[in-house]
Amino acid sequence: MSENLIDAMANLEEDNALALVKKKLMQGETAYEIVEQCRKGVEIVGKRYSEGTYYLSDLVMSEAILKDVMEIIEPYFPNNGIGTNESNGVQVVMGTIEGDIHDLGKNIVIYLLRSSGYRVRDLGVDVTPEKFVEALKETGANIIGVCVLLTFCIGYVKKLIDRLAETGLKDKVTVVLGGYPVDEQVKAYTGADYVSNDGVKALEIFEQISRG
Ligand code: B12
């Protein structure tokens, strides 16, 4: 049995991982630190899957464990459960790009945003450019968060941003792209304004944008 949370997640030791999360909370580690360790563990699950030592069922298992972890730590995020999460007036539209159904990371970011006062319209997964455009028009949001995990869906992000340009929204809306494979190269290729593969940094980016 692993004593380290990253390893417990990577080895899919469900009960152990949940016990370690509770212990870490008692010891004063922050919810952010714990999420990051879990993310690293799940990243190892992904590596083992691509190397062929783990199967699809193991990816599904990692999803289940991460969901259970989130249930435990949700009340420990700042501003939560004490009635202070007043709206900051900033509206965001968020979704996972067309073709991609990964949403655990997106949901964490939405959670962080909402608990910091953002109003987030969550469009879910496999979201087409048309749905994003429609939601931007409906909500009047000027920030859009797009999640992509599958490298072969990065082209759809470019398609979305091209669509924003065609509809005249590109200059009015700031695009923040997130997910495991995003980097400066992906940013340049897609035309996104910001990229982040870290939820806490993502929150900092949103804060920076909304401060103007
Ligand atoms: C769990 C998982 C699944 C689960 C997803 C469950 C769910 N509800 O999301 C299931 C089992 C369904 C799944 C399915 C598949 N998966 Co999968 N999956 C993973 C795994 C192991 C972890 C992803 C995850 O949740 N990580 C934990 C979260 C917390 O981290 P995160 O997503 O990076 O999010 C953080 C940041 O990126 C950032 N962030 C995230 N979103 C956003 C959004 C914004 C706006 C911002 C600013 C920031 C931000 O903040 C988050 C918190 O820090 C990854 C491995 C990996 N390295 O990522 C493979 C992985 C992504 N999957 C992969 C594959 C191939 C698939 C399948 C095609 C498998 C198959 N044969 O069917 C299908 C795809 C189906 C589809 N059409 O989408 C590959 C992709 C390879 C590639 N080159 O594209 C990976 C990399 C595994 C691998 N190494 O091969 N998968």
Side-chain angles (χ1 to χ4, degrees):
M1 213 168 56
S2 322
E3 281 175 30
N4 168 306
L5 180 56
I6 300 178
D7 294 338
M9 291 297 291
N11 298 336
L12 303 170
E13 296 167 8
E14 183 169 20
D15 293 343
N16 185 28
L18 299 183
L20 285 170
V21 166
K22 288 180 189 154
K23 190 169 150 198
K24 280 169 181 290
L25 285 169
M26 302 257 290
Q27 288 169 343
E29 280 193 42
T30 67
Y32 297 128
E33 286 164 345
I34 294 173
V35 167
E36 188 48 21
Q37 290 163 39
C38 292
R39 193 187 61 75
K40 285 186 179 149
V42 172
E43 202 175 309
I44 298 172
V45 173
K47 273 200 195 102
R48 291 183 183 164
Y49 170 74
S50 51
E51 288 159 6
T53 48
Y54 270 7
Y55 301 99
L56 191 56
S57 55
D58 296 311
L59 293 189
V60 175
M61 183 67 190
S62 72
E63 171 191 9
I65 301 176
L66 196 56
K67 278 192 173 153
D68 290 346
V69 169
M70 284 310 289
E71 256 176 47
I72 297 173
I73 61 176
E74 270 183 16
Y76 292 86
F77 281 108
N79 299 347
N80 198 46
I82 46 173
T84 55
N85 40 351
E86 279 169 27
S87 170
N88 63 3
V90 181
Q91 173 80 55
V92 176
V93 164
M94 189 95 147
T96 298
I97 197 69
E98 185 174 359
D100 197 332
I101 61 157
H102 293 86
D103 67 355
L104 296 174
K106 169 184 72 67
N107 294 344
I108 290 173
V109 175
I110 290 177
Y111 191 82
L112 296 179
L113 289 172
R114 285 189 176 144
S115 58
S116 302
Y118 289 80
R119 281 181 291 141
V120 184
R121 166 87 67 97
D122 180 11
L123 305 179
V125 297
D126 189 16
V127 183
T128 59
E130 285 63 37
K131 282 193 205 151
F132 273 114
V133 167
E134 205 179 297
L136 285 168
K137 286 185 178 159
E138 269 174 31
T139 58
N142 53 15
I143 311 182
I144 173 173
V146 183
C147 173
V148 62
L149 262 77
L150 296 175
T151 46
F152 53 84
C153 288
I154 289 171
Y156 290 118
V157 178
K158 181 165 166 41
K159 181 177 142 195
L160 163 67
I161 295 175
D162 289 348
R163 187 84 192 111
L164 294 179
E166 285 159 23
T167 49
L169 285 165
K170 179 74 181 82
D171 295 337
K172 298 181 191 131
V173 171
T174 306
V175 182
V176 188
L177 181 61
Y180 168 71
V182 305
D183 57 16
E184 285 302 310
Q185 225 182 323
V186 171
K187 178 173 174 256
Y189 170 70
T190 57
D193 298 296
Y194 295 88
V195 291
S196 170
N197 49 23
D198 172 322
V200 179
K201 287 211 185 89
L203 184 60
E204 286 167 17
I205 292 173
F206 281 94
E207 297 282 354
Q208 192 188 323
I209 300 167
S210 38
R211 277 196 302 266

